[in-house]
Every structure is written in structure tokens, then in C-alpha cells.
């Protein structure tokens, strides 16, 4: 009788240690996936920012030459463009909190979107998630 109990506890201990190892591996893989997704969103944002930067740069260069011809002085045209840049810079500084909170929210959404997909996949049509009834279902 004692031998059966020891064998059962040994199997239980082995099953628990295997379970813990698998959960740690799953946590590690989920972390890798979130970091990769965040880096992908970050890289995409960098590319868009660079493209926007060069687009704005060339538009302002063209505007500087256009205003310079219109006003008869290329230097005056570029002074006006510098004024527009300073105005844009001031607007960005004024809305710093809104811009940073928007960026942080987008990063959080990108990192948490995996969790929402998992919850949607485990929900059944009756509104149950993992055996629990969701509010409003």
C-alpha cells in the first residue's frame, strides 16, 4: 500500500514539475511574441516617421523657393518657411502630453492585442469564456 502511494506521489510530482516547465516555456514564448510584435509596430512607425519627415522637408523646400520667387527674395521665402517650422515645433511642444499618451496607448494596444484574440478564441457563442458567463450574455 505504501509503495502505491509513493509511486502516485512521485508521478504527481513529475506531472507538476512538467506542468510548471511547460507554463514557463509558454510564458517565455508569449513574451517573445509580444516583444517581436512591439518591435514590428515600432519599426513600422519609424519608417512612417522617416517618410513623413522627408515629405515635409521637400514640401517646405519647394514652398521656400515658391515664396522666394513670389516675394522676390529667396532668403525671405526661406525665413517664412523657418517661421512655419518654429510654429509647428511650438504646436508639438504644446501638445506633448497628448502625443506621448497617444503613443503609449498604441504601444499598450499592440502588446495587449494577443490577449484579446485569445479571449475571443476561447469564448463560445453563448457568451461563456472558459466555463464562466460573461456580463451581458
Amino acid at each position: 500500500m505504501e509503495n502505491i502511494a509513493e509511486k502516485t506521489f512521485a508521478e504527481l510530482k513529475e506531472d507538476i514539475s512538467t506542468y510548471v516547465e511547460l507554463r514557463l516555456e509558454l510564458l517565455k514564448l508569449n513574451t517573445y511574441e509580444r516583444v517581436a510584435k512591439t518591435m514590428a509596430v515600432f519599426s513600422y512607425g519609424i519608417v512612417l516617421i522617416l517618410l513623413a519627415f522627408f515629405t515635409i522637408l521637400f514640401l517646405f523646400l519647394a514652398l521656400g523657393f515658391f515664396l522666394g520667387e513670389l516675394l522676390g527674395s529667396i532668403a525671405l521665402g526661406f525665413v517664412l518657411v523657418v517661421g512655419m517650422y518654429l510654429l509647428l515645433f511650438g504646436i508639438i511642444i504644446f501638445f506633448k502630453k497628448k502625443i506621448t499618451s497617444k503613443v503609449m496607448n498604441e504601444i499598450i494596444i499592440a502588446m495587449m492585442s494577443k490577449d484579446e484574440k485569445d479571449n475571443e478564441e476561447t469564448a463560445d457563442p453563448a457568451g461563456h469564456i472558459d466555463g464562466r458567463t460573461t456580463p451581458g450574455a
Side-chain angles (χ1 to χ4, degrees):
M1 188 71 155
E2 219 174 272
N3 193 14
I4 294 173
E6 288 177 8
K7 187 177 181 181
T8 304
F9 281 122
E11 289 175 0
L12 182 60
K13 180 182 174 187
E14 184 179 324
D15 288 345
I16 289 173
S17 67
T18 302
Y19 173 77
V20 169
E21 288 174 11
L22 290 174
R23 290 295 293 182
L24 288 174
E25 184 69 22
L26 180 63
L27 178 65
K28 186 167 65 169
L29 291 173
N30 283 336
T31 303
Y32 289 158
E33 181 181 10
R34 286 183 183 187
V35 168
K37 187 172 187 174
T38 303
M39 292 304 296
V41 168
F42 183 71
S43 299
Y44 179 72
I46 294 276
V47 168
L48 285 180
I49 287 171
L50 283 174
L51 287 174
F53 168 76
F54 282 112
T55 301
I56 291 171
L57 175 70
F58 286 115
L59 284 174
F60 275 122
L61 277 173
L63 182 63
F65 283 116
F66 175 74
L67 289 175
E69 284 185 28
L70 195 65
L71 298 172
S73 170
I74 292 184
L76 185 58
F78 279 100
V79 166
L80 289 175
V81 168
V82 167
M84 288 181 210
Y85 265 117
L86 291 175
L87 181 65
L88 187 62
F89 184 68
I91 290 170
I92 290 172
I93 288 177
F94 183 74
F95 290 110
K96 177 185 176 187
K97 285 186 180 181
K98 285 186 179 182
I99 292 170
T100 54
S101 71
K102 177 74 174 165
V103 170
M104 285 190 310
N105 287 338
E106 290 297 322
I107 290 172
I108 290 169
I109 288 169
M111 291 181 77
M112 294 187 69
S113 67
K114 168 91 172 77
D115 293 339
E116 292 170 6
K117 286 179 185 176
D118 287 345
N119 289 339
E120 290 172 5
E121 290 172 0
T122 58
D124 68 331
H128 296 85
I129 298 178
D130 299 331
R132 293 171 281 151
T133 304
T134 57

